[in-house]
Amino acid sequence: MRPDTSAEHVDHNAEAARLERTAGLYPEDAEHLLVQAAAHLELAGDRPGATALYDRLLASSTPLEHPHLVRALKASNLWEYGHEAEARAIIDGIRAASPRDPAPWVIVAEALESHDELEAAQETFTAAAQLLLSDTSEPPYATYPLLFGRHRVRRMLGEAHDNWDTLADTLHSSSVSLDELHDPKRVWSLGSDNPAELQAEISRLRAELGTFREALSRPFPVAILHWPTTELTELLTAYPSLSADYPSHEEHLATIEASLRELAASGTPNLGIVTGTVPSYEAFAASEASSPSDATLLPQYATTLAARGLAVAWPPQRGVECWCGAGRGYGECHGTTDK
């Protein structure tokens, strides 16, 4: 159950408790599960409880995959129940750290926006765009909320369109333009008794809802399964029948990159890679009452890992090491055009 589900249909406290129990059973997934649990607590109105979960993650001896995201969520939550000074300090720290993940930037910028700090929100969105998009010919899907949020704030400030606003307009797929959706004067029509104005506002709201649902329809990436060298060796030693799917580790890596490029070329968004381990795969096979030698389990295993929040976005961002684990930059490894 996603934490965006209406409180009318979900006991958020119970769901948070269930996720905490699951995190205890799967400590390797604790970060992903406890972030979801904290979101449920926020929706239940237990903001101090949500902060406690964020603090629990940040104090963990296990390094976090997305520490800036957890800090951003904590800052946003703190501000909502009167801890503005602490929230601002965390936001300043995130901006100074310049994370390469767009999500923390969006969260802190929207926190500023929701508290009428429009200039600061615009500066934050812009700093993120300069960092993440200046050297990118085609923005990754994960950066769309960054561009849309920046467009919205600048529209509210009455700023003239710039190149990134134009790019946001281009990426926006709804039938109602971003300029119309983000028009500050829209609120005036809500008090109108003109049926035409009210109908136009209903159409705009439907378009916004459609965009929101489109984003929610991608809870995790379309993921390809990757086996590190030692894990693949162990897998094929235990289950030699899988050799037909994995003739060699080098060919395995080449197939992953080729498959992802083919999916990207076909227009499939939100692509990712999940890394398998033999014990995890064997446990998954047992849960399916099947044998690990059954090759049809492999894509199901990949989907399950992605649903648990273990996918890494593909392609890697500029300057990030290649997904294969060779230690070289992606552009110097599987990201070269001759791969």
Side-chain angles (χ1 to χ4, degrees), residues 58-101:
L58 293 169
S60 172
S61 59
T62 303
L64 298 179
E65 285 189 61
H66 305 289
H68 297 301
L69 174 62
V70 176
R71 291 189 181 95
L73 291 167
K74 177 183 174 181
S76 177
N77 180 56
L78 282 169
W79 204 336
E80 292 302 320
Y81 71 109
H83 296 269
E84 178 182 343
E86 187 177 355
R88 286 183 180 277
I90 296 172
I91 289 172
D92 290 343
I94 291 170
R95 289 195 54 172
S98 300
R100 303 293 304 189
D101 178 6

Side-chain angles (χ1 to χ4, degrees), residues 286-303:
S287 72
E288 295 293 311
S290 186
S291 168
S293 60
D294 181 359
T296 63
L297 287 179
L298 295 168
Q300 299 175 46
Y301 174 54
T303 299

Side-chain angles (χ1 to χ4, degrees), residues 169-190:
D169 284 327
T170 302
L171 296 173
H172 180 63
S173 59
S174 171
S175 59
V176 179
S177 71
L178 281 183
D179 273 340
E180 190 171 356
L181 289 176
H182 296 162
D183 185 355
K185 296 179 181 178
R186 282 178 58 193
V187 68
W188 297 353
S189 67
L190 297 178

Side-chain angles (χ1 to χ4, degrees), residues 15-28:
E15 188 66 12
R18 182 190 68 79
L19 288 163
E20 284 194 69
R21 290 193 300 272
T22 305
L25 295 173
Y26 301 98
E28 69 275 16

